[in-house]
Amino acid sequence: MSDLYELYQELILDHNRKPRNFGRPEASDHEAEGYNPLCGDRVTVYVTIRDDVVEDVAFEGSGCAISTAAASMMTEAIKGKTTSEARSLFEKFHEMVAGPAPQDVSAAGNGPGLGKLAAFAGVRRYPARVKCATLVWHTLAAALEKKAALVTTE
Ligand code: ZN
């Protein structure tokens, strides 16, 4: 394992211990709830959109370390982005953790604009955890679409 990989693991542990943007905000104009029955992860995502920009985003819920860290880091990654930038980040993230082509972690770390989210590149080696990492992103997508009130990864 490279030092870089170790560092990213530490980042995930840190976000699990101290989730950022955690808790229901006083106001939000988009929200959706997600559930990953494979692991029992639950998350609700609250988003405030102004002029197509994610002005505020927060989450609450309970789940494993991967799902909590993924939610925390998702909120940091998309705040201030346009909704289409947020969607494209989801596509890149999904590709990284569940895409067809194997990538090595260091390559992903230099990858297409994922920044700290590259910490989750190692998740692809644990297929059972992929849904833990992507749940919050699926839930975000639903919130942006204002579609289903409940998303499951099944
Ligand atoms: Zn989980």
Side-chain angles (χ1 to χ4, degrees):
M1 285 300 112
S2 69
D3 291 342
L4 194 62
Y5 184 74
E6 294 293 329
L7 175 70
Y8 282 153
Q9 289 295 302
E10 189 52 44
L11 197 57
I12 289 174
L13 294 173
D14 180 60
H15 275 265
N16 176 51
R17 279 194 302 260
K18 292 175 289 180
R20 284 33 157 209
N21 305 304
F22 185 84
R24 186 188 185 119
E26 282 183 21
S28 64
D29 49 28
H30 292 63
E31 76 175 72
E33 193 182 341
Y35 175 50
N36 172 18
L38 286 183
C39 181
D41 308 315
R42 291 182 184 278
V43 68
T44 305
V45 173
Y46 306 97
V47 191
T48 301
I49 306 288
R50 185 162 297 173
D51 298 332
D52 201 42
V53 169
V54 178
E55 189 178 77
D56 194 25
V57 54
F59 77 102
E60 63 182 3
S62 61
C64 66
I66 294 285
S67 69
T68 301
S72 174
M73 289 174 71
M74 180 281 285
T75 62
E76 286 199 326
I78 70 159
K79 201 178 266 192
K81 297 267 196 304
T82 66
T83 55
S84 64
E85 284 169 343
R87 284 190 187 89
S88 116
L89 214 47
F90 175 29
E91 282 169 25
K92 289 174 185 169
F93 185 82
H94 196 270
E95 176 101 352
M96 178 182 71
V97 298
Q103 297 174 8
D104 78 62
V105 171
S106 57
N110 298 325
L114 280 167
K116 291 177 181 175
L117 295 173
F120 291 93
V123 167
R124 67 176 301 123
R125 276 181 267 124
Y126 305 92
R129 310 317 295 272
V130 167
K131 286 176 175 173
C132 301
T134 56
L135 173 67
V136 75
W137 289 91
H138 286 291
T139 309
L140 168 70
L144 294 178
E145 298 294 332
K146 280 201 168 187
K147 271 184 189 165
L150 177 67
V151 178
T152 87
T153 52
E154 287 306 283

